[in-house]
Coordinates of all heavy atoms in Angstrom, one line a residue:
M1 N -105.5 -183.3 -10.0 CA -106.2 -183.2 -8.6 C -105.2 -183.4 -7.5 O -104.4 -184.3 -7.7 CB -107.3 -184.2 -8.6 CG -108.5 -183.8 -9.5 SD -110.0 -184.9 -9.3 CE -109.4 -186.2 -10.4
A2 N -105.4 -182.7 -6.5 CA -104.5 -183.0 -5.4 C -105.2 -182.8 -4.1 O -106.2 -182.1 -4.0 CB -103.4 -182.0 -5.5
K3 N -104.7 -183.4 -3.1 CA -105.2 -183.2 -1.7 C -104.0 -183.1 -0.8 O -103.0 -183.7 -1.0 CB -106.2 -184.3 -1.2 CG -105.6 -185.7 -1.1 CD -106.6 -186.7 -0.7 CE -106.0 -188.0 -0.6 NZ -107.0 -189.0 -0.1
K4 N -104.2 -182.2 0.1 CA -103.0 -181.8 0.9 C -103.5 -181.4 2.3 O -104.5 -180.6 2.4 CB -102.2 -180.6 0.2 CG -101.1 -180.1 1.0 CD -100.5 -179.0 0.2 CE -99.3 -178.4 1.0 NZ -98.7 -177.3 0.3
T5 N -102.9 -181.8 3.3 CA -103.3 -181.4 4.7 C -102.3 -180.2 5.0 O -101.2 -180.2 4.9 CB -102.9 -182.5 5.7 OG1 -103.7 -183.6 5.4 CG2 -103.3 -182.0 7.1
V6 N -103.0 -179.1 5.3 CA -102.3 -177.8 5.5 C -102.1 -177.7 7.0 O -103.0 -177.7 7.8 CB -103.2 -176.6 4.9 CG1 -102.4 -175.3 5.2 CG2 -103.5 -176.8 3.5
A7 N -100.8 -177.4 7.3 CA -100.4 -177.4 8.7 C -101.1 -176.3 9.5 O -101.5 -176.4 10.7 CB -98.9 -177.2 8.8
S8 N -101.4 -175.1 8.8 CA -102.0 -174.1 9.5 C -103.5 -174.3 9.8 O -104.1 -173.6 10.6 CB -101.9 -172.8 8.7 OG -102.5 -172.9 7.5
L9 N -104.1 -175.3 9.2 CA -105.5 -175.6 9.4 C -105.7 -176.7 10.5 O -106.9 -176.9 10.9 CB -106.2 -176.1 8.1 CG -106.2 -175.1 6.9 CD1 -106.7 -175.8 5.7 CD2 -107.0 -173.9 7.3
Q10 N -104.7 -177.2 11.0 CA -104.8 -178.2 12.0 C -105.0 -177.6 13.4 O -104.2 -176.7 13.8 CB -103.5 -179.1 12.1 CG -103.4 -180.0 10.9 CD -102.1 -180.7 10.8 OE1 -101.4 -180.8 11.8 NE2 -101.9 -181.3 9.7
T11 N -106.0 -178.0 14.1 CA -106.2 -177.5 15.5 C -106.1 -178.7 16.5 O -105.9 -179.8 16.1 CB -107.6 -176.9 15.6 OG1 -108.6 -177.9 15.3 CG2 -107.8 -175.8 14.6
A12 N -106.2 -178.3 17.7 CA -105.9 -179.3 18.8 C -107.0 -180.4 18.7 O -106.8 -181.6 19.0 CB -105.8 -178.7 20.1
S13 N -108.3 -180.0 18.3 CA -109.4 -180.9 18.4 C -109.7 -181.6 17.1 O -110.4 -182.6 17.2 CB -110.6 -180.1 19.0 OG -110.9 -179.1 18.0
K14 N -109.4 -181.0 16.0 CA -109.8 -181.6 14.7 C -108.8 -181.3 13.6 O -108.3 -180.1 13.5 CB -111.1 -181.0 14.3 CG -111.9 -181.6 13.2 CD -113.3 -181.1 13.1 CE -114.0 -182.0 12.0 NZ -115.4 -181.7 11.9
R15 N -108.5 -182.2 12.7 CA -107.7 -182.1 11.6 C -108.6 -181.7 10.4 O -109.7 -182.3 10.2 CB -106.9 -183.3 11.3 CG -105.9 -183.7 12.3 CD -105.0 -184.8 11.9 NE -104.2 -184.4 10.7 CZ -103.4 -185.2 10.1 NH1 -103.4 -186.5 10.4 NH2 -102.7 -184.8 9.1
L16 N -108.1 -180.8 9.6 CA -108.8 -180.4 8.4 C -107.9 -180.6 7.3 O -106.7 -180.4 7.4 CB -109.3 -179.0 8.6 CG -110.3 -178.7 9.7 CD1 -110.5 -177.1 9.7 CD2 -111.6 -179.4 9.5
S17 N -108.5 -180.8 6.1 CA -107.7 -180.9 4.8 C -108.3 -179.9 3.9 O -109.5 -179.6 3.8 CB -107.9 -182.3 4.2 OG -107.2 -183.2 5.0
K18 N -107.4 -179.4 3.0 CA -107.8 -178.5 2.0 C -107.6 -179.2 0.7 O -106.6 -179.8 0.3 CB -106.8 -177.3 1.9 CG -107.1 -176.3 0.9 CD -106.2 -175.1 1.0 CE -106.6 -174.0 0.0 NZ -105.7 -172.9 0.1
A19 N -108.8 -179.4 0.0 CA -108.8 -180.1 -1.3 C -109.0 -179.1 -2.5 O -109.7 -178.2 -2.4 CB -110.0 -181.2 -1.3
I20 N -108.2 -179.4 -3.5 CA -108.2 -178.5 -4.7 C -108.5 -179.4 -5.9 O -107.8 -180.4 -6.1 CB -106.9 -177.8 -4.8 CG1 -106.6 -177.0 -3.6 CG2 -107.0 -176.8 -6.0 CD1 -105.2 -176.4 -3.5
K21 N -109.5 -179.0 -6.7 CA -109.7 -179.8 -7.9 C -109.9 -178.9 -9.1 O -110.3 -177.7 -9.0 CB -110.8 -180.8 -7.8 CG -112.2 -180.2 -7.7 CD -113.2 -181.3 -7.6 CE -114.6 -180.7 -7.5 NZ -115.6 -181.8 -7.5
M22 N -109.5 -179.3 -10.3 CA -109.7 -178.6 -11.5 C -111.1 -179.0 -12.1 O -111.4 -180.1 -12.2 CB -108.6 -178.9 -12.6 CG -107.3 -178.2 -12.3 SD -106.1 -178.4 -13.5 CE -106.8 -179.4 -14.8
V23 N -111.8 -177.9 -12.5 CA -113.1 -178.1 -13.1 C -113.2 -177.4 -14.4 O -112.8 -176.2 -14.6 CB -114.3 -177.5 -12.2 CG1 -115.6 -177.7 -12.8 CG2 -114.2 -178.2 -10.8
K24 N -113.6 -178.1 -15.5 CA -113.6 -177.6 -16.8 C -115.0 -176.9 -17.0 O -116.1 -177.4 -16.8 CB -113.4 -178.6 -17.9 CG -113.3 -178.1 -19.2 CD -112.9 -179.2 -20.3 CE -112.7 -178.6 -21.6 NZ -112.3 -179.6 -22.6
S25 N -114.9 -175.6 -17.5 CA -116.2 -174.9 -17.7 C -116.9 -175.4 -19.0 O -116.1 -175.5 -20.0 CB -115.9 -173.5 -17.9 OG -117.0 -172.7 -18.3
P26 N -118.1 -175.7 -19.0 CA -118.8 -176.2 -20.2 C -118.9 -175.1 -21.3 O -119.0 -175.4 -22.5 CB -120.2 -176.7 -19.7 CG -120.3 -176.0 -18.4 CD -119.0 -175.7 -17.8
K27 N -119.0 -173.9 -20.9 CA -119.2 -172.8 -21.9 C -117.9 -172.4 -22.6 O -117.9 -172.4 -23.8 CB -119.8 -171.6 -21.2 CG -121.2 -171.8 -20.6 CD -121.7 -170.5 -20.0 CE -123.1 -170.6 -19.5 NZ -123.6 -169.4 -18.9
S28 N -116.9 -172.1 -21.8 CA -115.6 -171.6 -22.4 C -114.6 -172.7 -22.7 O -113.7 -172.5 -23.4 CB -115.1 -170.5 -21.6 OG -114.7 -171.0 -20.4
G29 N -114.7 -173.8 -21.9 CA -113.7 -174.9 -22.0 C -112.5 -174.6 -21.2 O -111.5 -175.4 -21.2
A30 N -112.4 -173.5 -20.4 CA -111.3 -173.2 -19.6 C -111.4 -173.9 -18.3 O -112.5 -174.3 -17.8 CB -111.2 -171.6 -19.3
Y31 N -110.3 -174.1 -17.6 CA -110.3 -174.8 -16.4 C -110.2 -173.9 -15.3 O -109.6 -172.8 -15.3 CB -109.0 -175.7 -16.3 CG -109.2 -177.0 -17.1 CD1 -108.7 -177.1 -18.4 CD2 -109.9 -178.1 -16.6 CE1 -108.8 -178.2 -19.1 CE2 -110.0 -179.3 -17.3 CZ -109.5 -179.3 -18.6 OH -109.7 -180.5 -19.3
T32 N -110.9 -174.1 -14.2 CA -110.9 -173.3 -12.9 C -110.5 -174.2 -11.8 O -110.7 -175.4 -11.9 CB -112.2 -172.5 -12.7 OG1 -113.2 -173.5 -12.5 CG2 -112.5 -171.7 -13.8
F33 N -110.1 -173.6 -10.7 CA -109.8 -174.5 -9.5 C -110.8 -174.1 -8.4 O -111.2 -173.1 -8.2 CB -108.4 -174.0 -9.0 CG -107.3 -174.4 -9.9 CD1 -106.7 -173.5 -10.8 CD2 -106.8 -175.7 -9.8 CE1 -105.8 -173.9 -11.7 CE2 -105.7 -176.1 -10.7 CZ -105.3 -175.2 -11.6
V34 N -111.3 -175.2 -7.9 CA -112.2 -175.2 -6.8 C -111.5 -175.7 -5.5 O -111.0 -176.8 -5.5 CB -113.5 -176.0 -7.1 CG1 -114.5 -176.0 -5.9 CG2 -114.2 -175.6 -8.4
E35 N -111.5 -174.9 -4.5 CA -110.9 -175.2 -3.2 C -111.9 -175.3 -2.1 O -113.0 -174.6 -2.1 CB -109.9 -174.1 -2.8 CG -108.8 -173.9 -3.8 CD -107.9 -172.8 -3.3 OE1 -108.0 -172.4 -2.2 OE2 -107.1 -172.4 -4.1
A36 N -111.7 -176.2 -1.2 CA -112.6 -176.4 -0.1 C -111.8 -177.0 1.1 O -110.8 -177.7 0.9 CB -113.7 -177.4 -0.4
V37 N -112.1 -176.6 2.4 CA -111.6 -177.0 3.5 C -112.6 -177.9 4.2 O -113.7 -177.6 4.4 CB -111.2 -175.9 4.5 CG1 -110.6 -176.4 5.8 CG2 -110.2 -175.0 3.8
M38 N -112.2 -179.2 4.5 CA -113.1 -180.2 5.1 C -112.4 -181.2 5.9 O -111.2 -181.3 5.9 CB -113.8 -180.8 3.9 CG -112.9 -181.6 3.0 SD -113.7 -182.2 1.5 CE -113.6 -180.6 0.7
D39 N -113.2 -182.1 6.5 CA -112.7 -183.2 7.2 C -112.0 -184.2 6.2 O -112.5 -184.4 5.1 CB -113.9 -183.9 7.9 CG -113.4 -185.0 8.8 OD1 -112.5 -184.9 9.5 OD2 -114.1 -186.0 8.8
P40 N -110.9 -184.8 6.7 CA -110.2 -185.8 5.7 C -111.0 -186.9 5.2 O -110.8 -187.4 4.1 CB -109.0 -186.2 6.5 CG -108.8 -185.2 7.5 CD -110.1 -184.6 7.9
A41 N -112.0 -187.3 5.9 CA -112.9 -188.4 5.5 C -113.8 -188.0 4.3 O -114.2 -188.9 3.5 CB -113.8 -188.9 6.6
D42 N -114.0 -186.8 4.0 CA -114.9 -186.3 3.0 C -114.1 -185.9 1.7 O -114.8 -185.6 0.8 CB -115.7 -185.1 3.5 CG -116.6 -185.4 4.7 OD1 -117.0 -186.6 4.8 OD2 -116.9 -184.5 5.4
V43 N -112.8 -185.9 1.7 CA -112.0 -185.5 0.6 C -112.4 -186.3 -0.7 O -112.6 -185.8 -1.7 CB -110.6 -185.5 1.0 CG1 -109.7 -185.2 -0.3 CG2 -110.3 -184.4 2.0
N44 N -112.4 -187.6 -0.5 CA -112.6 -188.5 -1.7 C -113.9 -188.2 -2.3 O -114.1 -188.3 -3.5 CB -112.4 -189.9 -1.4 CG -111.0 -190.3 -1.1 OD1 -110.1 -189.6 -1.7 ND2 -110.7 -191.3 -0.3
K45 N -114.9 -188.0 -1.5 CA -116.3 -187.7 -2.0 C -116.4 -186.4 -2.7 O -117.0 -186.3 -3.7 CB -117.3 -187.6 -0.8 CG -118.7 -187.5 -1.2 CD -119.7 -187.3 0.0 CE -119.4 -188.1 1.3 NZ -120.2 -187.8 2.3
F46 N -115.6 -185.3 -2.3 CA -115.5 -184.1 -2.9 C -114.8 -184.2 -4.3 O -115.3 -183.7 -5.3 CB -114.7 -183.1 -2.0 CG -114.4 -181.8 -2.7 CD1 -115.4 -180.8 -2.9 CD2 -113.2 -181.5 -3.1 CE1 -115.1 -179.6 -3.5 CE2 -112.8 -180.3 -3.7 CZ -113.8 -179.4 -3.9
L47 N -113.7 -184.9 -4.3 CA -113.0 -185.1 -5.6 C -113.7 -185.9 -6.6 O -113.5 -185.8 -7.8 CB -111.6 -185.7 -5.3 CG -110.7 -184.8 -4.4 CD1 -109.4 -185.5 -4.2 CD2 -110.4 -183.5 -5.2
S48 N -114.6 -186.8 -6.2 CA -115.2 -187.7 -7.1 C -116.5 -187.1 -7.8 O -116.9 -187.4 -8.8 CB -115.6 -189.0 -6.4 OG -116.6 -188.8 -5.5
K49 N -117.1 -186.1 -7.1 CA -118.4 -185.6 -7.7 C -118.0 -184.5 -8.7 O -117.0 -183.8 -8.6 CB -119.3 -185.0 -6.6 CG -118.8 -183.8 -5.8 CD -119.9 -183.4 -4.9 CE -119.3 -182.2 -4.0 NZ -120.3 -181.8 -3.1
K50 N -118.9 -184.3 -9.7 CA -118.6 -183.4 -10.8 C -119.2 -182.1 -10.6 O -120.2 -181.9 -9.9 CB -119.1 -184.0 -12.1 CG -118.2 -185.1 -12.6 CD -118.5 -185.5 -14.0 CE -117.6 -186.5 -14.5 NZ -117.7 -186.8 -15.9

């Protein structure tokens, strides 16, 4: 799991972070990546939920 602030997503009024996490599929067992752009305060909540 990683979190990274992307320079192209920063605006003058608000900073945004792009969070990427790996999620294991219950059916096939393969891993997929889920990406989301959000406020930096919400990143830990996003990474902790399943």
